[in-house]
Amino acid sequence: HVILQTLGGTASAPVVAKETFNSFSPRITFDWRLNPDHMLYALYAEGTKPGGFNSATAIEAGLPTYDEEEVNSFEVGSKNVFADGRLVANVALYYNEISGYQITQNAQNNRGNTTSAIRNAGDAEVYGGELELSYRPAAVEGLALTLNYAYSNPEFTDAVDENQGLLNDVADDGLNNCSLGKQVPSLACSSTNMLFGSIKGHQIPRTAKHQAYLGAELRRPFRSSTGFDEYVLGADYSYESSKYAQVMNLAETGDTALLAARVGVQNEHWSVMFWGRNLTGEDSVPNILRYADGARDLRRNFAASQRRDTYFGLTVTAKY
């Protein structure tokens, strides 16, 4: 029970919301070891993101609670060792079925107060695969190579969104007038009561379809009067495809490719490493935040953080 009261004003009637949440999260795993170097596995798991209660204003606006977000997950894969342990190769395929996907939206009560609330948009699915390779070639002592790649297809399969509805409403005649209908017919037309728009087929926000990593490191004996006994050369390349900031898929980070390198010397107790990062000057933004602008009637806006340009450093580590 929540009572709202403006300082000096009359207290509102109690705002009440009740809900009960129950969940069961089983996990089953099967694995079959063909021999000491090769294994097949399969697993099934269920999980939940807890449901909860929105604010008193959202309760008055008809959004008192939101249900749990549930996922059913399936995965099969194989883990393998080849070439007397010099090559490790792991592969996995997965499928996640999500119901009750939770997103935020604006909510306005009958007194004109607007707030942000969580609701269940609908259903989504994520399927893809991952490949992990690591190799230490016998022909080059001290060299280690790593390759990882992940593909994911994260999209909504049956879901609606308030802001997509607002875009649809304005697109047909240029006016914010509920020309396509109202989400709650008994309430007046407003920017929060447009008929919600479908986001079926849209990519889930803050997810990348492609991710890749390639690394190489060479460690070789090093003898000198300094007392260091090993030198290290290394480089890392990573790639991530563009991520969307919101369910409408209108603002995105852009593809990202990062290159880093390092060179140094070390022994049992000391390590001195000179390194450089973002050597190609990648300028895509690391992340985009969607927020409600309190200075503009809680209109949706975006803020993006700037990526750091090429930079270098020296790291000295002591072990005892």
Side-chain angles (χ1 to χ4, degrees):
H1 291 68
V2 178
I3 298 177
L4 302 180
Q5 182 178 17
T6 302
L7 186 62
T10 303
S12 69
V15 178
V16 181
K18 298 180 180 180
E19 188 58 86
T20 300
F21 303 101
N22 297 297
S23 65
F24 174 60
S25 302
R27 179 185 176 94
I28 303 173
T29 303
F30 300 95
D31 62 73
W32 180 23
R33 189 170 294 276
L34 304 176
N35 56 53
D37 293 332
H38 304 284
M39 184 187 76
L40 303 175
Y41 71 90
L43 68 85
Y44 170 77
E46 297 180 7
T48 61
K49 183 178 180 180
F53 295 84
N54 285 313
S55 67
T57 300
I59 294 173
E60 290 182 326
L63 292 171
T65 64
Y66 51 93
D67 291 332
E68 296 172 316
E69 181 180 309
E70 300 178 341
V71 60
N72 296 332
S73 177
F74 305 85
E75 182 176 335
V76 295
S78 177
K79 298 180 180 294
N80 306 275
V81 177
F82 301 96
D84 297 325
R86 293 193 304 273
L87 173 63
V88 176
N90 301 326
V91 62
L93 300 173
Y94 63 87
Y95 174 78
N96 295 331
E97 185 179 54
I98 304 170
S99 59
Y101 193 95
Q102 296 174 2
I103 62 173
T104 60
Q105 71 167 69
N106 288 341
Q108 188 176 70
N109 63 13
N110 55 12
R111 289 178 287 121
N113 297 322
T114 304
T115 188
S116 182
I118 298 175
R119 72 171 184 85
N120 301 95
D123 302 332
E125 66 178 11
V126 183
Y127 63 83
E130 298 178 358
L131 174 66
E132 300 177 349
L133 298 174
S134 61
Y135 182 49
R136 297 179 179 272
V140 183
E141 181 184 354
L143 177 63
L145 303 174
T146 302
L147 171 64
N148 295 334
Y149 172 73
Y151 168 77
S152 176
N153 188 67
E155 69 175 35
F156 292 100
T157 56
D158 184 14
V160 294
D161 176 69
E162 173 204 46
N163 294 294
Q164 185 65 55
L166 178 59
L167 292 175
N168 295 345
D169 184 84
V170 174
D172 68 337
D173 57 10
L175 299 175
N176 181 349
N177 58 3
C178 295
S179 57
L180 301 180
K182 295 186 292 184
Q183 186 66 19
V184 182
S186 61
L187 298 180
C189 176
S190 70
S191 60
T192 60
N193 196 32
M194 306 290 178
L195 182 66
F196 290 177
S198 173
I199 52 174
K200 180 179 179 180
H202 289 205
Q203 186 172 324
I204 295 176
R206 298 178 296 280
T207 60
K209 285 194 172 185
H210 302 276
Q211 292 177 294
Y213 169 81
L214 178 63
E217 185 174 81
L218 178 65
R219 294 174 177 266
R220 297 298 296 271
F222 174 70
R223 302 297 180 185
S224 74
S225 58
T226 62
F228 293 103
D229 54 25
E230 185 180 59
Y231 71 83
V232 180
L233 301 173
D236 305 283
Y237 171 83
S238 62
Y239 169 81
E240 184 177 69
S241 60
S242 187
K243 298 182 292 186
Y244 289 106
Q246 24 71 312
V247 298
M248 288 84 73
N249 288 183
L250 297 178
E252 58 182 307
T253 62
D255 295 346
T256 300
L258 297 173
L259 179 63
R262 60 195 177 278
V263 57
V265 291
Q266 60 186 25
N267 59 27
E268 182 181 358
H269 299 291
W270 290 91
S271 171
V272 179
M273 199 71 60
F274 175 73
W275 47 262
R277 294 172 184 165
N278 194 11
L279 298 179
T280 59
E282 174 64 66
D283 60 1
S284 64
V285 297
N287 195 24
I288 303 176
L289 172 67
R290 181 183 72 158
Y291 69 98
D293 191 344
R296 303 184 65 201
D297 302 323
L298 294 179
R299 299 177 189 178
R300 292 296 187 179
N301 212 329
F302 300 94
S305 53
Q306 187 174 5
R307 186 177 299 279
R308 188 174 183 180
D309 201 356
T310 303
Y311 61 105
F312 301 92
L314 180 69
T315 301
V316 179
T317 305
K319 300 177 182 179
Y320 296 96

